[in-house]
Amino acid sequence: MTDSTPFAALAARALRTRWLVRAPIVLYRAGLGFLFGTRLLMLQHTGRHSGAARFVVLEVVDHPEADQYIVVSGFGVQAQWYRNVQCNPQVRVSIGTARSLPATAVAMTPEESAIALDRYIREHPKAWDKLRAAIEHATGKPADDLPMVRLSLHARADHS
């Protein structure tokens, strides 16, 4: 199940290193999110107990429509951001040059997630091999049924 290559071990350690995982947040908040292109996005969500703004940078698994992004919870349903959006789906998304766009987060069904993951694997096989090895090494669980969330951007009001 888990890959024991040196890369997988190093990547798993990086995923568990808080300061390293949180470093991209500093760049997004400084207006430099464009450096990551559209493969990553920053999700601002609300802490389910604290009510405070929380931030996480996630890989975009799919972008099926202009106003939709699909992201994966590599640490499953136990991930804090995943649990937070279950309690309060009103979020903000920063991606590319766009900052703090209001959106709604909705957990996808296992079937929808499997379809999105299959499409990601076909389009990014090398990235998936590395990501899967890192996730499996970090969690000790198979990465074949990861939960996914659809982020639907709210329509922008036209002020003309």
Side-chain angles (χ1 to χ4, degrees):
M1 170 179 59
T2 59
D3 185 339
S4 61
T5 65
F7 173 82
L10 182 62
R13 188 172 183 179
L15 287 173
R16 293 250 184 230
T17 304
R18 184 174 172 83
W19 69 266
L20 187 59
V21 172
R22 299 194 58 77
I25 294 169
V26 174
L27 296 173
Y28 272 98
R29 293 186 77 185
L32 300 173
F34 66 88
L35 295 172
F36 299 104
T38 56
R39 286 286 303 272
L40 298 177
L41 61 75
M42 182 175 72
L43 180 69
Q44 178 182 338
H45 51 99
T46 303
R48 64 192 178 284
H49 298 297
S50 68
R54 304 290 185 205
F55 302 88
V56 64
V57 173
L58 302 165
E59 183 169 2
V60 174
V61 173
D62 199 4
H63 182 49
E65 296 183 29
D67 64 345
Q68 289 187 358
Y69 294 91
I70 296 173
V71 293
V72 62
S73 179
F75 286 94
V77 296
Q78 297 81 16
Q80 296 301 313
W81 73 266
Y82 186 86
R83 295 171 68 190
N84 287 342
V85 301
Q86 294 293 305
C87 290
N88 183 353
Q90 299 312 308
V91 299
R92 291 194 166 276
V93 172
S94 295
I95 186 165
T97 58
R99 295 178 68 185
S100 196
L101 303 172
T104 302
V106 176
M108 297 169 59
T109 66
E111 293 79 17
E112 292 170 325
S113 295
I115 291 168
L117 182 60
D118 286 343
R119 186 172 24 248
Y120 180 83
I121 292 167
R122 279 194 316 274
E123 292 177 9
H124 308 285
K126 290 179 183 176
W128 170 245
D129 286 344
K130 291 181 182 344
L131 182 61
R132 180 170 131 190
I135 289 170
E136 290 180 350
H137 199 281
T139 64
K141 298 177 184 175
D144 297 330
D145 61 350
L146 296 170
M148 299 204 187
V149 172
R150 176 176 284 109
L151 303 169
S152 299
L153 303 179
H154 297 178
R156 295 183 188 178
D158 186 6
H159 298 295
S160 50

